[in-house]
Amino acid sequence: MRCLGELEAAVMRVLWESSEPIKVREVLERLDTGRSLAYTTVLTVLDNLHRKGWVEREMDGRAYRYEARRTREEAAARTLHQVLAGSGSPDAVLAHFAASISDEQAEALQAALVERLRADQGL
């Protein structure tokens, strides 16, 4: 999965906030980008997101209903993986990141790492 452009990110926010798959018209009505967008623009963005693997779609009558393929959190984690992979020095990036986060974020990260170790060890 590649990183998202501004309009793609806005469309994904709409999908993440929806409790069910929605049609292009519904996405257009819920978008808050500060500018007027055409139906075809939103349709193109959703088609691109589908092609990139960010959304799933299912035919409903003559139109598709779209939903996010992954949660917002899963997508953010994938983006972090891409940043690390493209950094040239993932260990250094992680060290800088760890030094820059809040105490609460450090505790959450530590808890997640402990959980991972337990899962890896089958505990």
Side-chain angles (χ1 to χ4, degrees), residues 5-111:
E6 185 180 328
L7 186 52
E8 290 174 325
V11 168
M12 288 304 300
R13 280 191 296 276
V14 169
L15 294 176
W16 282 319
E17 292 168 1
S18 178
S19 60
E20 59 189 20
I22 56 177
K23 294 182 178 180
V24 176
R25 176 77 51 208
E26 295 167 290
V27 173
L28 178 60
E29 291 169 356
R30 297 176 191 184
L31 269 175
D32 184 20
T33 62
R35 60 184 174 155
S36 180
L37 296 169
Y39 176 93
T40 53
T41 300
V42 176
L43 175 61
T44 299
V45 170
L46 283 163
D47 283 342
N48 289 340
L49 288 168
H50 178 260
R51 182 177 41 77
K52 292 178 180 181
W54 283 85
V55 301
E56 294 178 346
R57 65 184 183 191
E58 184 174 319
M59 190 62 83
D60 182 10
R62 296 187 325 155
Y64 285 111
R65 286 193 176 274
Y66 293 86
E67 67 180 328
R69 189 167 178 206
R70 291 173 175 77
T71 67
R72 185 184 315 242
E73 296 78 13
E74 289 169 331
R78 285 184 172 269
T79 300
L80 289 174
H81 277 283
Q82 291 173 340
V83 169
L84 288 172
S87 72
S89 183
D91 292 348
V93 172
L94 285 171
H96 284 289
F97 177 75
S100 71
I101 60 178
S102 70
D103 290 344
E104 293 81 16
Q105 291 168 330
E107 288 174 15
L109 182 57
Q110 185 175 20

